[in-house]
Structures are given as C-alpha cells and as structure tokens.
Amino acid sequence: MTSILVVEDDTAIRGALSRGLTERGHAVTLATAGLNGLELLLSARPDVVLLDLGLPDVDGLQVISMIRAVDATPIIVITARDDDEALVKALDAGADDFVSKPFSLPQIDARIRAILRRGGTAPGDAQPIVVGGLSIDPRTRTASLDDRALELSRKEFDLLLVLASRVGEVITKRELLAEVWQQGYGGGERTVDVHLSWLRRKLGETAAEPRYLHTVRGVGVRMVAPRPNGGDG
Ligand code: CA
C-alpha cells in the first residue's frame, strides 16, 4: 500500500483523487491548502505527494521548495494544460513528475508506481539508519553490526528496517505483520516470533538477554541502542 498526500484546493478534483486512489488500494491524506499540506507531510509521512500548483495560501512552487528543505518525498505536480512555464519552474524547484489536467486515474497511478520504482526499495527515508553498532542501509538492503556484515534473509532485513526506523518505539506484532508481511489482522503472530528469534540470533542476543530487541510483554517489541559498556553491570 502506498500512502499519498493530495494537496488540492479544488473540491471536485480533490474528491475524485481521493475516491479513485482509495479504490486502487492507496491510503490517501487530503490537504486543501499549502501550509496544511506541509503540516500533514510531516505528521503523515506519505510515500508520495500529489501537489496542485495553484493553491489559495502559498504558491505551489514555494510549497515544493519548503518540502525539499526538509526531505526527499517524491512530488508529482498537478498542472493545468497551459501551465508550461509554471511546470518548468516546478521541476526546477524539485518536483519529480507532473500530470496535466484533465488527467486519468490510471495515468496518475502509473506515475506513482514509476516514481516509487525510481526511488529504489523502501518508500520513505533511504538514508542508512544507525542504532548503536548497527547500521542498516535501505538502498542497498545491507546491514552490519559492529562493522561486520550481517547475512539476513529478505524478511529479516525488512523486520530489522521497520524496527530500526522507529527506534525507541514499541511496535506491536500486528503492526510488524502488516508492515513486513503485508498481512492484515488475525493469526501469523507466530511468524513474527520466529523471525524475531532468528534476527536475535544473528544480532548475537536472546530474548532473555536482549541488547537491541526488547520484548515488551503483551505489547510488542522495541529496538534500542545498547548502553556503551554492554549494560549489564
Ligand atoms: Ca487549484
């Protein structure tokens, strides 16, 4: 599932995008103006932003610059057919792609897929994540512990990435199941347990003597950086 932030002041277009993208299985967040869009970008952390250039409060070009000042979330600009100059400026300001009004939903959907493919593997932040002696690179899908490469299966890597990208937070097994296995509710928590125990072994720890992966009984798992001296004094 792709999470999409739509920033569009036109009620009809916003509604059509919301319905169409939701029907295609995406999670859609709606903003009616630029500043509201920026707030939602930071709180909802979408995979892609669909941005109208003609907004009531802040110019769309400024919105692009403001987004680019904080992160690299892909931006697809929605332009009027005759907006050639604005489109060039938008691309120069850091937009990744555009669609012209009137647009079709299959076309927008295809552009979203293309942009996420171009962006590489995991949507969101592609910078390496460092937690204590652990380093996880989403772009190359490699991980190391104390400068030693870890040999992880695909699911083990995904699990580690989800946990490390939300370090300090307790993540439920259901959330892990949804994020790593794309499964909904019901069953499968045993799958998470098994993969967690494999991951622990590779990190050189056990559930009884955790360093990075701490079980919060009845709730879920939390990743933390171990204390510098090993911690058990
Ligand atoms: Ca508009």
Side-chain angles (χ1 to χ4, degrees):
M1 184 181 67
T2 304
S3 58
I4 302 163
L5 171 63
V6 174
V7 187
E8 167 67 80
D9 61 316
D10 185 303
T11 311
I13 295 175
R14 193 174 62 243
L17 282 171
S18 173
R19 275 191 307 279
L21 293 170
T22 304
E23 276 166 15
R24 287 178 150 72
H26 302 305
V28 181
T29 305
L30 300 173
T32 57
L35 292 178
N36 180 220
L38 283 166
E39 281 168 16
L40 288 171
L41 173 84
L42 297 174
S43 59
R45 312 293 307 170
D47 298 324
V48 182
V49 181
L50 279 183
L51 175 72
D52 177 35
L53 286 183
L55 293 168
D57 57 345
V58 190
D59 185 75
L61 292 172
Q62 271 179 280
V63 176
I64 296 170
S65 306
M66 288 190 257
I67 292 176
R68 281 292 165 268
V70 290
D71 71 15
T73 308
I75 303 168
I76 300 176
V77 158
I78 305 168
T79 67
R81 201 177 272 279
D82 55 1
D83 236 353
D84 217 44
E85 197 187 337
L87 174 60
V88 171
K89 283 184 184 161
L91 294 170
D92 282 343
D96 297 273
D97 201 354
F98 67 97
V99 286
S100 302
K101 295 175 191 174
F103 48 77
S104 75
L105 271 160
Q107 186 193 110
I108 288 197
D109 211 13
R111 302 235 175 186
I112 290 170
R113 283 197 301 275
I115 236 168
L116 290 178
R117 268 201 307 275
R118 241 185 282 158
T121 54
D125 201 345
Q127 294 299 309
I129 300 170
V130 175
V131 180
L134 258 178
S135 175
I136 301 135
D137 189 341
R139 231 181 302 225
T140 55
R141 294 185 61 82
T142 54
S144 62
L145 175 61
D146 301 329
D147 295 324
R148 189 173 48 85
L150 290 170
E151 300 226 350
L152 302 174
S153 72
R154 198 160 61 87
K155 290 299 183 198
E156 286 165 356
F157 180 85
D158 290 343
L159 191 57
L160 186 64
L161 181 59
V162 171
L163 289 161
S165 63
R166 292 168 58 182
V167 73
E169 257 183 75
V170 181
I171 307 180
T172 66
K173 287 177 190 170
R174 283 182 175 189
E175 281 179 88
L176 291 172
L177 207 52
E179 290 217 29
V180 177
W181 284 268
Q182 278 84 45
Q183 277 182 33
Y185 298 126
E189 292 189 10
R190 182 81 192 118
T191 307
V192 178
D193 286 333
V194 169
H195 280 82
L196 274 174
S197 75
W198 289 340
L199 190 54
R200 281 196 167 106
R201 198 180 308 163
K202 291 184 181 176
L203 297 179
E205 63 181 67
T206 63
E209 289 183 52
R211 294 180 68 226
Y212 288 93
L213 301 178
H214 294 251
T215 299
V216 180
R217 209 162 287 283
V219 187
V221 186
R222 176 172 56 200
M223 175 172 278
V224 299
R227 299 215 186 100
N229 295 328
D232 25 32

